[in-house]
Amino acid sequence: MPDLLIWMIPLAPLVAAIVCSCGSVFGIQHQRAYIPCWLALAISALLSIWLLWTSDVSGGVRTIEGFQWLAIGRVNVGFNLQIDGLSIFQLAVVCVVSFLVAIYSQAYMKDDSGSARYFAIFSGFVFSMSMLVLASDLLMMYVFWEGVGLCSYLLVGYWYQRPRAAKAATKAFLVNRVADCAFLMGILALSYGVNQVIRTEQSVIERLSFATIFECAPSIASSNPLLFGFVSVCLMIGAIGKSAQFPLHVWLPDAMEGPTPASALIHAATMVTAGVFLLCRMRPLLQFAPDVLVAVAWIGGITALLAATIALFQDDLKRVLAYSTISQLGFMFMAVGTGAAHELMPVAVMAAMFHLCTHAFFKALLFLGAGNVMHAMGDVVDMRRFGGLRSVLPKTYILFGIGAVALAGIPPLAGFWSKDGILAVLFDASSDRDYGNSFIALFAFALVTVFITSVYTFRAFFRTFHGKLRLPKEAGEHPHEASVVNIAPMIVLALGSVTAGMLLGPTGVLVDLFDHLPSLRKVSDHHGHEGIWLPALSIALSLAGVAVAWLTTLGEVTESTLPSKNPFVSAGANRFYFDEAYDLFIVRPIQALAGAASAFEAGFFDMFWGKLQSMVLGFGKLLRVFQSGLLNHYAAAIAIGSILILAFMALS
């Protein structure tokens, strides 16, 4: 593909963002603001698919020269693109899912007077995410990493008039700043380490290009292991924050305050997967830090199990899906962490990317389905207030059910194949000589999470669509199915949820089409090496979860009979009090410190400057006596001064 067309993939959304922002200048009313967004994202989606189809990266990495933004001495900042199997695969997923969500957004936001602002931010988000994926150096990736964070802040707080939305956006922004600060520190330390190895007059950008970093990684790891460990940990923390992993997962559920399409965009294939993409991109460096990779795997395992458990006890449909996203990202982190067993690194990375792809389809489908439910129920999302909606929303019922089956990992849908690939690499890693015991435990964590995932997914599905029809008063007398514009992108996502796993998994159809992507072929070749028992166990756990969900919602055991005063259930419903813990141990101490600083400022600095002010005023009053403004006084003073000077000269 010509370089200019590749540059159009990220630049088309940027142009759309500018046009939507200046809609009044171009004569575009807010009801038509979706048009430039649709056109731009359609261009990006088609070109990204074409790039995936036609690019031959078997010979290595291809760098596309861009433009120089800043040149001051040795500081040369430019924008170049890097094309390889990892970037074009992620780019296609991001652009296609974003385009489908943008189509859905038109019907969802048509009555909103600020829709032009929404589509401008939406387009800017896709631009930043595309540039993050295509970045050829770590500094450029960080710039657009922050751009993605800014756009997500604006989307979460889109309805800024609502206090909860404004608070949720601020929370997401601040939590991510903690992780992003660590990420920046890692970049600076890595730049220093690379400079110590190459000792040339290279610019910062050249030192931080991925090619240079990966070339210098072995030398840095051997000559300065402390610095290398610090860099690896900082990169891990950056990924943890963006992908909402324990203990920085608290921002993601509150991000549900934004429009539902924005939630689908953030939680499906884009922002939250940036942390996984960072770890996969930096795999040639992280392979020299196996302890950090094991830590990544443990964080992923803890997050997957914790978030799945919390999702069991949530009554808010969107929060169930939010915690599901956190849990599934934990699966991806576990997959990447198995790269601590060096021979599994290529398979581990692509197992994570495989699940990232399938998750993008079925999670976006589920969020858009939740948007249909909210629209029909008058924005009510509490599952305790509605039920039996399959007769009211028959199309949404089928499409949401497809997403639920995929998320639960039931064959032949996509989630089964990618989840089974992660279980397979975890099982293989359990035989590693150095870290086998850790991966045995994580394999057990993953199996338990598979069961819990099926339970909470189908509890939400059954509570929403099965049972006796119950409608909240906000739904009105005649709630109706979503429009064609809402349903059409969901059908495409449902097709992806059904077919993506089989295409990338056992059949190898995409592998045959894209033979120049050997990393995908490794996933396909690896699948099934453990024999039939592992997928059989996975299927049994998923089906058992469906049965438990049925019994606890529609069978002999009902929700009213569950132990409402059970402390574990209460803790799960309150998200295990993580927000309260942060408030107690972080927010309140900082507020107390700020109060003490304010009191010190008032007690000392205000007094000091007050006294200084009084001294200046007093000195000014003293001088005022000699500045009367009368000429005879000034003449007398001159005469007296002259006599004194002459007397002094005569006496001396």
Side-chain angles (χ1 to χ4, degrees), residues 629-650:
L630 299 177
L631 290 178
N632 56 338
H633 290 178
Y634 294 157
I638 292 172
I640 294 172
S642 300
I643 293 172
L644 292 175
I645 292 172
L646 291 174
F648 175 78
M649 293 175 63

Side-chain angles (χ1 to χ4, degrees), residues 38 58 88 118 120-121 131 368 421 534 567 570 596:
W38 276 19
S58 58
I88 65 176
Y118 171 83
I121 302 170
M131 290 298 292
L368 297 186
L534 183 56
S570 178

Side-chain angles (χ1 to χ4, degrees), residues 78-115:
F79 294 101
N80 301 321
L81 306 183
Q82 177 169 309
I83 303 298
D84 59 8
L86 184 65
S87 62
I88 65 176
F89 183 72
Q90 174 81 348
L91 186 66
V93 174
V94 168
C95 292
V96 169
V97 174
S98 298
F99 174 57
L100 294 173
V101 175
I103 294 175
Y104 181 94
S105 298
Q106 184 272 327
Y108 193 90
M109 304 295 295
K110 65 180 180 180
D111 296 326
D112 193 294
S113 60
S115 58

Side-chain angles (χ1 to χ4, degrees), residues 117 121 148-178 180 242 250-259 262 266-267 271 319:
R117 174 166 54 91
I121 302 170
V148 166
L150 174 62
C151 292
S152 68
Y153 165 77
L154 296 174
L155 286 173
V156 172
Y158 174 76
W159 288 307
Y160 57 87
Q161 303 91 338
R162 304 177 183 177
R164 289 181 60 181
K167 185 177 179 180
T170 303
K171 181 178 181 179
F173 192 80
L174 292 177
V175 173
N176 275 277
R177 295 291 70 73
V178 174
D180 293 352
K242 195 67 77 179
V250 293
W251 67 268
L252 191 58
D254 290 339
M256 297 295 99
E257 294 298 328
I266 294 171
H267 299 100
M271 175 179 169
R319 285 190 184 274

